Short mmCIF file of all heavy atoms in Angstrom, two decimals:
data_model
loop_
_atom_site.label_atom_id
_atom_site.label_comp_id
_atom_site.label_asym_id
_atom_site.label_seq_id
_atom_site.Cartn_x
_atom_site.Cartn_y
_atom_site.Cartn_z
N TRP B 262 8.87 36.23 -17.91
CA TRP B 262 8.78 36.65 -16.50
C TRP B 262 9.90 37.60 -16.10
O TRP B 262 10.00 38.00 -14.94
CB TRP B 262 8.81 35.42 -15.59
CG TRP B 262 10.12 34.68 -15.64
CD1 TRP B 262 11.27 34.99 -14.99
CD2 TRP B 262 10.41 33.50 -16.40
NE1 TRP B 262 12.27 34.08 -15.28
CE2 TRP B 262 11.75 33.14 -16.15
CE3 TRP B 262 9.65 32.70 -17.27
CZ2 TRP B 262 12.36 32.04 -16.74
CZ3 TRP B 262 10.25 31.60 -17.85
CH2 TRP B 262 11.59 31.28 -17.58
N LEU B 263 10.78 37.99 -17.01
CA LEU B 263 11.93 38.84 -16.66
C LEU B 263 11.46 40.26 -16.35
O LEU B 263 10.55 40.78 -16.98
CB LEU B 263 12.93 38.88 -17.82
CG LEU B 263 13.52 37.54 -18.25
CD1 LEU B 263 14.44 37.74 -19.45
CD2 LEU B 263 14.28 36.89 -17.10
N PRO B 264 12.10 40.93 -15.38
CA PRO B 264 11.75 42.33 -15.09
C PRO B 264 12.27 43.24 -16.19
O PRO B 264 13.23 42.89 -16.91
CB PRO B 264 12.47 42.60 -13.76
CG PRO B 264 13.62 41.63 -13.75
CD PRO B 264 13.13 40.41 -14.47
N PRO B 265 11.67 44.43 -16.37
CA PRO B 265 12.14 45.33 -17.43
C PRO B 265 13.55 45.85 -17.19
O PRO B 265 14.27 46.15 -18.15
CB PRO B 265 11.10 46.47 -17.39
CG PRO B 265 10.49 46.40 -16.03
CD PRO B 265 10.51 44.96 -15.65
N LEU B 266 13.96 45.98 -15.93
CA LEU B 266 15.32 46.41 -15.60
C LEU B 266 15.90 45.42 -14.60
O LEU B 266 15.20 44.95 -13.69
CB LEU B 266 15.32 47.82 -15.00
CG LEU B 266 14.85 48.95 -15.93
CD1 LEU B 266 14.76 50.26 -15.16
CD2 LEU B 266 15.78 49.09 -17.13
N ARG B 267 17.17 45.12 -14.74
CA ARG B 267 17.82 44.13 -13.87
C ARG B 267 18.45 44.79 -12.64
O ARG B 267 19.58 44.50 -12.26
CB ARG B 267 18.87 43.37 -14.67
CG ARG B 267 18.28 42.64 -15.88
CD ARG B 267 19.34 42.04 -16.76
NE ARG B 267 18.76 41.52 -18.00
CZ ARG B 267 19.48 41.01 -19.00
NH1 ARG B 267 20.80 40.96 -18.90
NH2 ARG B 267 18.88 40.58 -20.09
N TYR B 268 17.73 45.68 -12.05
CA TYR B 268 18.21 46.36 -10.86
C TYR B 268 17.11 46.31 -9.80
O TYR B 268 15.94 46.13 -10.09
CB TYR B 268 18.56 47.83 -11.16
CG TYR B 268 19.51 48.00 -12.32
CD1 TYR B 268 19.05 48.45 -13.56
CD2 TYR B 268 20.87 47.73 -12.19
CE1 TYR B 268 19.92 48.62 -14.64
CE2 TYR B 268 21.75 47.88 -13.25
CZ TYR B 268 21.27 48.33 -14.47
OH TYR B 268 22.12 48.48 -15.52
N GLU B 269 17.53 46.48 -8.56
CA GLU B 269 16.56 46.59 -7.47
C GLU B 269 15.79 47.91 -7.61
O GLU B 269 16.37 48.91 -8.05
CB GLU B 269 17.28 46.54 -6.12
CG GLU B 269 18.01 45.22 -5.89
CD GLU B 269 18.74 45.20 -4.56
OE1 GLU B 269 18.75 46.24 -3.87
OE2 GLU B 269 19.29 44.15 -4.21
N PRO B 270 14.51 47.99 -7.29
CA PRO B 270 13.68 46.95 -6.67
C PRO B 270 12.97 46.05 -7.67
O PRO B 270 12.12 45.26 -7.29
CB PRO B 270 12.67 47.78 -5.88
CG PRO B 270 12.46 49.00 -6.72
CD PRO B 270 13.79 49.28 -7.37
N PHE B 271 13.28 46.18 -8.99
CA PHE B 271 12.58 45.38 -10.00
C PHE B 271 12.82 43.89 -9.78
O PHE B 271 11.93 43.07 -10.01
CB PHE B 271 13.04 45.79 -11.40
CG PHE B 271 12.66 47.20 -11.78
CD1 PHE B 271 13.56 48.24 -11.64
CD2 PHE B 271 11.41 47.47 -12.28
CE1 PHE B 271 13.22 49.53 -11.99
CE2 PHE B 271 11.05 48.76 -12.63
CZ PHE B 271 11.96 49.80 -12.48
N THR B 272 14.02 43.53 -9.37
CA THR B 272 14.35 42.11 -9.21
C THR B 272 13.68 41.49 -7.98
O THR B 272 13.69 40.27 -7.84
CB THR B 272 15.87 41.94 -9.10
OG1 THR B 272 16.38 42.77 -8.04
CG2 THR B 272 16.54 42.33 -10.41
N TRP B 273 13.14 42.34 -7.08
CA TRP B 273 12.45 41.79 -5.91
C TRP B 273 11.07 41.24 -6.25
O TRP B 273 10.54 40.40 -5.54
CB TRP B 273 12.30 42.89 -4.84
CG TRP B 273 13.61 43.36 -4.28
CD1 TRP B 273 14.84 42.77 -4.44
CD2 TRP B 273 13.83 44.53 -3.48
NE1 TRP B 273 15.80 43.49 -3.81
CE2 TRP B 273 15.21 44.58 -3.19
CE3 TRP B 273 13.00 45.52 -2.97
CZ2 TRP B 273 15.77 45.59 -2.43
CZ3 TRP B 273 13.55 46.53 -2.22
CH2 TRP B 273 14.93 46.56 -1.94
N VAL B 274 10.48 41.75 -7.32
CA VAL B 274 9.11 41.36 -7.69
C VAL B 274 9.15 39.95 -8.29
O VAL B 274 9.99 39.67 -9.16
CB VAL B 274 8.50 42.35 -8.70
CG1 VAL B 274 7.08 41.94 -9.07
CG2 VAL B 274 8.53 43.76 -8.12
N PRO B 275 8.29 39.03 -7.85
CA PRO B 275 8.28 37.68 -8.42
C PRO B 275 8.03 37.70 -9.93
O PRO B 275 7.30 38.56 -10.45
CB PRO B 275 7.12 36.99 -7.68
CG PRO B 275 6.96 37.77 -6.42
CD PRO B 275 7.33 39.19 -6.75
N GLY B 276 8.64 36.72 -10.62
CA GLY B 276 8.52 36.68 -12.07
C GLY B 276 7.10 36.54 -12.57
O GLY B 276 6.72 37.10 -13.60
N VAL B 277 6.27 35.79 -11.84
CA VAL B 277 4.89 35.58 -12.28
C VAL B 277 4.12 36.91 -12.28
O VAL B 277 3.21 37.10 -13.11
CB VAL B 277 4.20 34.53 -11.37
CG1 VAL B 277 4.05 35.04 -9.95
CG2 VAL B 277 2.85 34.13 -11.94
N ILE B 278 4.50 37.85 -11.40
CA ILE B 278 3.85 39.16 -11.38
C ILE B 278 4.21 39.95 -12.63
O ILE B 278 3.34 40.58 -13.26
CB ILE B 278 4.24 39.95 -10.12
CG1 ILE B 278 3.85 39.16 -8.85
CG2 ILE B 278 3.60 41.33 -10.12
CD1 ILE B 278 2.36 38.94 -8.72
N TRP B 279 5.48 39.90 -13.02
CA TRP B 279 5.89 40.60 -14.24
C TRP B 279 5.20 40.01 -15.46
O TRP B 279 4.77 40.75 -16.35
CB TRP B 279 7.41 40.53 -14.42
CG TRP B 279 8.19 41.41 -13.50
CD1 TRP B 279 9.11 41.04 -12.58
CD2 TRP B 279 8.10 42.84 -13.42
NE1 TRP B 279 9.60 42.13 -11.91
CE2 TRP B 279 9.01 43.25 -12.42
CE3 TRP B 279 7.36 43.80 -14.09
CZ2 TRP B 279 9.18 44.59 -12.08
CZ3 TRP B 279 7.51 45.14 -13.76
CH2 TRP B 279 8.42 45.52 -12.76
N LEU B 280 5.09 38.69 -15.51
CA LEU B 280 4.39 38.04 -16.63
C LEU B 280 2.94 38.50 -16.69
O LEU B 280 2.43 38.85 -17.77
CB LEU B 280 4.47 36.52 -16.48
CG LEU B 280 3.78 35.70 -17.58
CD1 LEU B 280 4.55 35.80 -18.88
CD2 LEU B 280 3.63 34.24 -17.16
N ALA B 281 2.27 38.54 -15.53
CA ALA B 281 0.87 38.95 -15.49
C ALA B 281 0.71 40.41 -15.91
O ALA B 281 -0.23 40.76 -16.63
CB ALA B 281 0.30 38.73 -14.09
N LEU B 282 1.62 41.29 -15.47
CA LEU B 282 1.54 42.70 -15.83
C LEU B 282 1.71 42.90 -17.33
O LEU B 282 0.98 43.69 -17.96
CB LEU B 282 2.61 43.49 -15.08
CG LEU B 282 2.37 43.68 -13.58
CD1 LEU B 282 3.56 44.38 -12.93
CD2 LEU B 282 1.09 44.47 -13.32
N LYS B 283 2.65 42.18 -17.94
CA LYS B 283 2.85 42.30 -19.40
C LYS B 283 1.63 41.80 -20.15
O LYS B 283 1.21 42.39 -21.17
CB LYS B 283 4.10 41.52 -19.81
CG LYS B 283 5.39 42.08 -19.25
CD LYS B 283 6.56 41.16 -19.54
CE LYS B 283 7.83 41.64 -18.85
NZ LYS B 283 8.96 40.72 -19.06
N ILE B 284 1.04 40.70 -19.68
CA ILE B 284 -0.17 40.18 -20.32
C ILE B 284 -1.30 41.20 -20.22
O ILE B 284 -2.04 41.43 -21.19
CB ILE B 284 -0.58 38.84 -19.67
CG1 ILE B 284 0.44 37.74 -20.03
CG2 ILE B 284 -1.97 38.42 -20.11
CD1 ILE B 284 0.18 36.41 -19.33
N CYS B 285 -1.42 41.85 -19.06
CA CYS B 285 -2.47 42.85 -18.88
C CYS B 285 -2.29 44.04 -19.82
O CYS B 285 -3.27 44.58 -20.36
CB CYS B 285 -2.50 43.33 -17.43
SG CYS B 285 -3.13 42.10 -16.25
N VAL B 286 -1.05 44.46 -20.03
CA VAL B 286 -0.79 45.57 -20.95
C VAL B 286 -1.21 45.19 -22.38
O VAL B 286 -1.83 45.98 -23.10
CB VAL B 286 0.70 45.96 -20.90
CG1 VAL B 286 1.03 46.94 -22.02
CG2 VAL B 286 1.05 46.57 -19.55
N LEU B 287 -0.88 43.98 -22.80
CA LEU B 287 -1.26 43.53 -24.14
C LEU B 287 -2.78 43.40 -24.27
O LEU B 287 -3.35 43.74 -25.31
CB LEU B 287 -0.58 42.20 -24.46
CG LEU B 287 0.94 42.27 -24.64
CD1 LEU B 287 1.52 40.87 -24.75
CD2 LEU B 287 1.31 43.09 -25.87
N LEU B 288 -3.43 42.90 -23.22
CA LEU B 288 -4.89 42.79 -23.26
C LEU B 288 -5.53 44.17 -23.35
O LEU B 288 -6.52 44.37 -24.07
CB LEU B 288 -5.39 42.06 -22.02
CG LEU B 288 -5.08 40.56 -21.95
CD1 LEU B 288 -5.48 39.99 -20.59
CD2 LEU B 288 -5.81 39.80 -23.05
#
Side-chain angles (χ1 to χ4, degrees):
W262 65 80
L263 300 178
L266 296 174
R267 301 173 188 175
Y268 307 105
E269 297 179 355
F271 295 97
T272 55
W273 295 347
V274 180
V277 65
I278 301 297
W279 286 119
L280 180 71
L282 288 175
K283 295 172 186 177
I284 291 175
C285 289
V286 170
L287 292 172
L288 290 173

